[in-house]
């Protein structure tokens, strides 16, 4: 792959010494599909080592100094969100996965950069520079990336309020109000969204409207690769092959009360581990098979070690008017008990391949 097919040399020359937002946007528009891959040369929490040129899809003709130029471009760009130095317990976003959208138009123009980063690393943060109290931009950018938002239940639409709502929502199963954990103030243990679905939504987004300002509601993530590294080979084998019965929460009822699925799988085209998990919808014991029960017990024991698994987000990222987009099968997430009843996030779940539009 030669340089001209990735980033036009004329574009690089024009950008030398750039300071304005418009120049930075030119790069994103000129090389939307390759730029994030070039930017991720630096160490990432999702990689155990710096990728080689071959892993980046570059041949030996791509100049090292121009890779460095692009990395420096991101570090200085007004279109990328730059967090302060991370604490040890905080998640470190890969370079080129945190963005700023100063306007709705510019944000939608950056859709291919978002899509590539989401496919490559499974996580994106976008700080909005405009007011969007109804979270319509999150819905628009998901559709602009070529993905399809999913409904949360038979009575709820694509956008779901994650906030204290003691009255809950109407369940089609019972015809009565039920209270989801996302509408409570309690802790929500490690899980993936929609894991009880026949085909769980591959991605989800959160628009942070009001974070907990009293020290609670801490959002944490755990990469599946990190989790698998902590599991024994026997448990990995069992979780890849045994189907467990999962209870469908009444607030998400769509016609079936239970489903049966494996908790771990391997993505055929990438070889990545994928997960679906939520402890409270598994039976107790999870199955009639001792080996399956032992594997789940080991998994739960790992997830119970709160001080050693997972990372929280820094306040530079988890703040008002930031949108998080995540691969729901490559990360588990959880939250601590909420102390601020005004905490308010809005969620979207979606399927499709980011960046591939029909």
């Amino acid at each position: 792959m030669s340089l001209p097919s990735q980033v036009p040399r004329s574009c690089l020359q024009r950008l030398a010494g750039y300071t304005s937002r418009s120049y930075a946007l030119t790069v994103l528009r000129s090389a939307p599909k390759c730029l994030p891959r070039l930017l991720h040369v630096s160490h990432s929490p999702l990689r155990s080592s710096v990728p080689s040129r071959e892993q980046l899809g570059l041949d030996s003709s791509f100049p090292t100094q121009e890779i460095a130029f692009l990395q420096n471009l991101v570090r200085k760009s007004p279109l990328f969100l730059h967090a302060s130095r991370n604490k040890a317990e905080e998640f470190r976003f890969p370079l080129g996965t945190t963005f700023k959208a100063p306007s709705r138009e510019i944000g939608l123009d950056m859709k291919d950069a978002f899509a590539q980063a989401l496919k490559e690393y499974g996580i994106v943060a976008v700080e909005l520079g405009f007011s969007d109290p109804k979270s319509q931009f999150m819905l628009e950018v998901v559709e602009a990336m070529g993905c399809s938002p999913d409904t949360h239940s038979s009575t709820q639409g694509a956008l779901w309020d994650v906030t204290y709502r003691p009255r809950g929502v109407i369940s089609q199963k019972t015809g009565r109000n039920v209270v989801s954990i996302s509408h409570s103030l309690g802790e929500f243990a490690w899980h993936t969204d929609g894991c009880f679905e026949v085909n769980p939504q591959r991605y989800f987004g959160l628009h942070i409207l009001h974070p907990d300002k009293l020290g609670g509601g801490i959002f944490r993530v755990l990469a599946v690769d990190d989790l698998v590294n902590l599991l024994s080979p026997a448990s990995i084998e069992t979780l890849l092959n045994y189907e467990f019965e999962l209870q469908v929460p009444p607030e998400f009822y769509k016609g079936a009360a239970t489903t049966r699925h494996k908790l771990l799988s391997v993505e055929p085209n990438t070889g990545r581990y994928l997960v679906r998990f939520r402890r409270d919808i598994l039976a107790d014991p999870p199955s009639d098979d001792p080996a399956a029960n032992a594997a789940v017990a080991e998994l739960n024991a790992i997830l119970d070690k709160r001080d050693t698994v997972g990372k929280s987000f820094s306040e530079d990222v988890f703040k008002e008017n930031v949108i998080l987009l995540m691969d729901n099968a490559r990360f588990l997430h959880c939250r601590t008990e909420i102390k601020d009843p005004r905490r308010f996030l809005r969620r979207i779940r979606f399927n499709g391949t980011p960046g591939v539009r029909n």
Side-chain angles (χ1 to χ4, degrees):
M1 185 181 295
S2 63
L3 175 63
S5 68
Q6 298 172 79
V7 183
R9 188 175 298 276
S10 60
C11 179
L12 291 175
Q13 291 170 343
R14 288 199 311 273
L15 285 163
Y18 85 97
T19 57
S20 74
R21 178 181 298 148
S22 60
Y23 281 133
L25 188 57
T26 300
V27 167
L28 292 173
R29 286 171 170 166
S30 300
K33 294 184 178 180
C34 67
L35 182 58
R37 183 176 289 272
L38 296 174
L39 302 174
H40 297 153
V41 175
S42 65
H43 176 71
S44 157
L46 305 187
R47 289 189 186 275
S48 58
S49 62
V50 175
S52 65
R53 286 176 178 270
E54 290 73 19
Q55 289 172 320
L56 288 169
L58 303 175
D59 59 32
S60 58
S61 66
F62 196 95
T64 301
Q65 65 269 25
E66 289 181 342
I67 295 178
F69 175 87
L70 289 170
Q71 290 177 305
N72 190 51
L73 182 70
V74 168
R75 293 188 180 100
K76 294 182 178 179
S77 171
L79 292 180
F80 287 88
L81 173 63
H82 304 291
S84 59
R85 183 178 295 274
N86 293 98
K87 300 176 183 177
E89 68 273 14
E90 291 177 341
F91 181 80
R92 181 184 174 193
F93 278 81
L95 185 64
T97 61
T98 55
F99 302 86
K100 289 186 178 181
S103 71
R104 186 180 301 271
E105 179 185 9
I106 290 176
L108 291 175
D109 276 341
M110 296 165 68
K111 61 185 181 297
D112 289 316
F114 301 160
Q116 181 63 23
L118 185 57
K119 284 193 298 183
E120 183 76 15
Y121 286 102
I123 191 164
V124 168
V126 184
E127 180 181 341
L128 305 187
F130 54 92
S131 177
D132 188 25
K134 295 185 178 180
S135 305
Q136 288 305 297
F137 175 79
M138 182 168 66
L139 183 60
E140 291 168 2
V141 82
V142 164
E143 293 173 338
M145 290 192 301
C147 296
S148 301
D150 197 11
T151 56
H152 279 78
S153 70
S154 57
T155 62
Q156 299 293 308
L159 296 177
W160 177 276
D161 292 346
V162 181
T163 191
Y164 181 50
R165 181 173 291 172
R167 68 181 182 277
V169 296
I170 298 293
S171 167
Q172 185 190 47
K173 180 180 180 181
T174 64
R176 301 176 181 176
N177 282 51
V178 291
V179 179
S180 167
I181 297 179
S182 61
H183 289 155
S184 74
L185 298 178
E187 175 188 13
F188 201 162
W190 290 109
H191 65 283
T192 57
D193 276 9
C195 57
F196 42 80
E197 301 269 6
V198 174
N199 296 301
Q201 300 83 2
R202 180 60 188 261
Y203 302 96
F204 73 93
L206 292 172
H207 184 194
I208 304 165
L209 297 168
H210 182 90
D212 190 315
K213 297 189 176 181
L214 299 177
I218 297 172
F219 186 81
R220 294 174 61 83
V221 295
L222 173 61
V224 174
D225 287 346
D226 292 340
L227 174 62
V228 169
N229 286 337
L230 297 172
L231 287 166
S232 66
S235 289
I236 294 172
E237 184 70 17
T238 299
L239 296 174
L240 284 170
N241 290 286
Y242 190 88
E243 290 191 347
F244 295 86
E245 184 174 274
L246 305 178
Q247 300 290 325
V248 178
E251 65 270 24
F252 298 121
Y253 182 80
K254 294 181 180 179
T258 63
T259 56
R260 293 190 67 86
H261 304 286
K262 300 169 185 176
L263 301 186
L264 274 183
S265 61
V266 175
E267 191 172 37
N269 59 326
T270 65
R272 292 178 179 136
Y273 283 106
L274 306 177
V275 68
R276 64 162 86 206
F277 180 76
R278 179 172 158 177
R279 183 188 304 195
D280 65 317
I281 64 173
L282 285 165
D284 185 16
S287 76
D288 297 327
D289 186 313
N293 292 340
V296 172
E298 182 183 338
L299 174 60
N300 287 335
I302 291 170
L303 296 178
D304 283 340
K305 297 177 181 178
R306 301 184 185 183
D307 295 334
T308 58
V309 296
K311 299 284 185 179
S312 60
F313 288 162
S314 71
E315 293 181 355
D316 302 76
V317 174
F318 203 85
K319 61 183 181 181
E320 283 101 337
N321 221 18
V322 166
I323 288 175
L324 298 171
L325 302 175
M326 293 183 60
D327 189 323
N328 188 41
R330 291 170 63 187
F331 286 92
L332 293 98
H333 60 283
C334 70
R335 73 152 195 238
T336 62
E337 182 180 3
I338 292 172
K339 298 180 181 179
D340 182 355
R342 297 181 301 162
R343 183 183 189 267
F344 195 164
L345 317 180
R346 189 165 283 124
R347 182 177 65 204
I348 190 170
R349 295 171 176 168
F350 56 100
N351 288 305
T353 303
V356 177
R357 289 175 285 278
N358 296 326

